[in-house]
């Protein structure tokens, strides 16, 4: 774990998933402030988490008109925040209440 440029992480994730998203007709937007502090993290693990969230978003965007995915990084109150936002249909209340249960999924096995 060490200092990491989150902007570089987001650019790396964009280069990894951008072509696949484009092939699926999903618009990818990456937004971050020009002057970002370094964050202390494991870069590889952060990239893996973001890729997993992006892949989940791709699944959520099936049958969505004009699908889009936003990766947003900003600082607020001395905290670094990364958002992965899609314009899919969202989750039911039952799903939301279970998302932090280990091994929970809505995907067919």
């Amino acid at each position: 774990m060490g200092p990491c440029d989150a902007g570089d992480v987001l650019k790396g994730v964009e280069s990894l998933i951008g072509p696949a998203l484009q092939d699926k007709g999903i618009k990818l937007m990456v937004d971050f402030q020009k002057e970002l502090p370094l964050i202390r993290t494991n870069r590889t693990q952060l990239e893996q988490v973001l890729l997993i969230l992006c892949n989940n978003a791709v699944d959520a965007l099936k049958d969505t008109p004009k699908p889009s995915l936003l990766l947003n990084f900003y600082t607020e109150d001395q905290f670094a925040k990364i958002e992965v936002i899609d314009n899919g249909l969202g989750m039911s209340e039952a799903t939301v209440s279970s998302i932090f249960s280990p091994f929970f999924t809505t995907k067919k096995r």
Side-chain angles (χ1 to χ4, degrees), residues 2-101:
C4 177
D5 183 326
D8 285 346
V9 171
L10 293 180
K11 289 177 193 173
V13 169
E14 178 181 23
S15 70
L16 287 171
I17 64 166
L21 295 179
Q22 189 173 16
D23 289 347
K24 294 179 184 214
I26 299 171
K27 181 179 179 180
L28 175 63
M29 298 161 287
V30 179
D31 186 27
F32 52 91
Q33 301 165 345
K34 293 195 184 268
E35 297 294 322
L36 288 173
L38 295 177
I39 57 174
R40 185 170 169 82
T41 188
N42 180 308
R43 181 187 178 118
T44 303
Q45 288 180 350
L46 178 58
E47 287 174 343
Q48 288 174 345
V49 167
L50 290 173
L51 287 170
I52 289 167
L53 291 172
C54 288
N55 285 328
N56 286 345
V58 168
D59 291 342
L61 290 169
K62 279 186 183 158
D63 303 322
T64 298
K66 296 183 182 179
S68 65
L69 177 60
L70 169 65
L71 299 178
N72 187 23
F73 180 90
Y74 60 98
T75 56
E76 182 178 274
D77 299 327
Q78 299 182 3
F79 290 97
K81 296 187 177 191
I82 298 175
E83 297 174 326
V84 179
I85 303 169
D86 66 66
N87 66 337
L89 296 175
M91 295 183 274
S92 69
E93 287 186 35
T95 299
V96 170
S97 68
S98 299
I99 60 173
F100 294 109
S101 299

